[in-house]
Amino acid sequence: MSYFINGYKDFYTVIENERKIGGVIEAEEVQLKNGEIYKNPVFTNIDYSGGIFYTAAIVANDGSHIIVHVNDISMIKSPAHKKIKDMKNHYFKEIKIKEKMRYLKCLAKGDQGAFTKPFVEEAKLIIEDIGSDVLINEKQELSYEFMTMFNNKVVKIA
């Protein structure tokens, strides 16, 4: 999955619906009017009022958090909606994986092994987003019972 973004409205829609659709918006490069260039920035927020977009928050590959007025952006090269596992911004990728794992653990704790349909759907979305290899590496943090039950039941449902 890598869908190109056509404008600020797409940015806003993806960011606001991140829990339902997963992924992030990452660009190949953002150049500001002052000449600064950021490689592989991830857009984390975009603010608007009355239908006018005014600020964008990005996290650069070096970990810099930048909030910039949209009028100060001169170029956004190849913005795309990507799965977390496909991100090139390694700094933010680690943050999002930790966040998603923490959320998955909370979901698992709340579901208590019942594997209800909403839980399975949301868990599948998270695993597809971060990649199953991350889940395997995090096995020691998730209970063995959860991993065994999840592997058996999701494979049969999917």
Side-chain angles (χ1 to χ4, degrees):
M1 171 190 86
S2 184
Y3 302 105
F4 288 102
I5 302 298
N6 295 314
Y8 289 127
K9 191 170 185 172
D10 287 351
F11 281 69
Y12 181 79
T13 302
V14 170
I15 292 168
E16 285 299 306
N17 294 301
E18 187 249 340
R19 182 173 163 216
K20 295 176 190 169
I21 61 176
V24 296
I25 297 175
E26 184 179 52
E28 190 176 314
E29 174 178 293
V30 169
Q31 182 175 356
L32 303 182
K33 285 185 178 178
N34 66 6
E36 290 180 59
I37 297 175
Y38 298 99
K39 301 282 186 189
N40 304 314
V42 177
F43 286 79
T44 59
N45 191 37
I46 189 156
D47 293 316
Y48 79 99
S49 178
I52 299 171
F53 293 94
Y54 56 92
T55 60
I58 61 175
V59 177
N61 212 12
D62 64 358
S64 304
H65 293 257
I66 300 120
I67 299 173
V68 62
H69 196 282
V70 293
N71 292 343
D72 293 331
I73 299 173
S74 65
M75 179 195 58
I76 302 172
K77 186 176 181 181
S78 301
H81 177 212
K82 299 179 176 181
K83 290 184 179 184
I84 293 170
K85 67 181 179 182
D86 299 330
M87 291 174 60
K88 293 181 182 173
N89 183 326
H90 298 289
Y91 173 81
F92 199 69
K93 184 177 184 175
E94 284 184 34
I95 291 171
K96 288 304 284 185
I97 287 174
K98 286 178 185 173
E99 178 183 301
K100 293 286 186 172
M101 286 302 299
R102 199 169 32 246
Y103 183 62
L104 183 58
K105 289 172 194 171
C106 287
L107 276 176
K109 187 175 181 181
D111 193 62
Q112 298 179 350
F115 290 93
T116 60
K117 186 176 179 180
F119 165 75
V120 171
E121 288 173 358
E122 196 154 2
K124 275 180 58 179
L125 177 67
I126 292 169
I127 292 166
E128 288 171 4
D129 199 14
I130 63 176
S132 58
D133 57 324
V134 172
L135 189 63
I136 292 166
N137 293 339
E138 296 288 329
K139 197 176 210 175
Q140 61 276 8
E141 288 187 36
L142 293 171
S143 74
Y144 179 75
E145 177 185 338
F146 168 75
M147 287 295 296
T148 305
M149 290 174 65
F150 188 78
N151 285 335
N152 291 340
K153 292 191 179 184
V154 171
V155 170
K156 291 177 185 172
I157 291 171

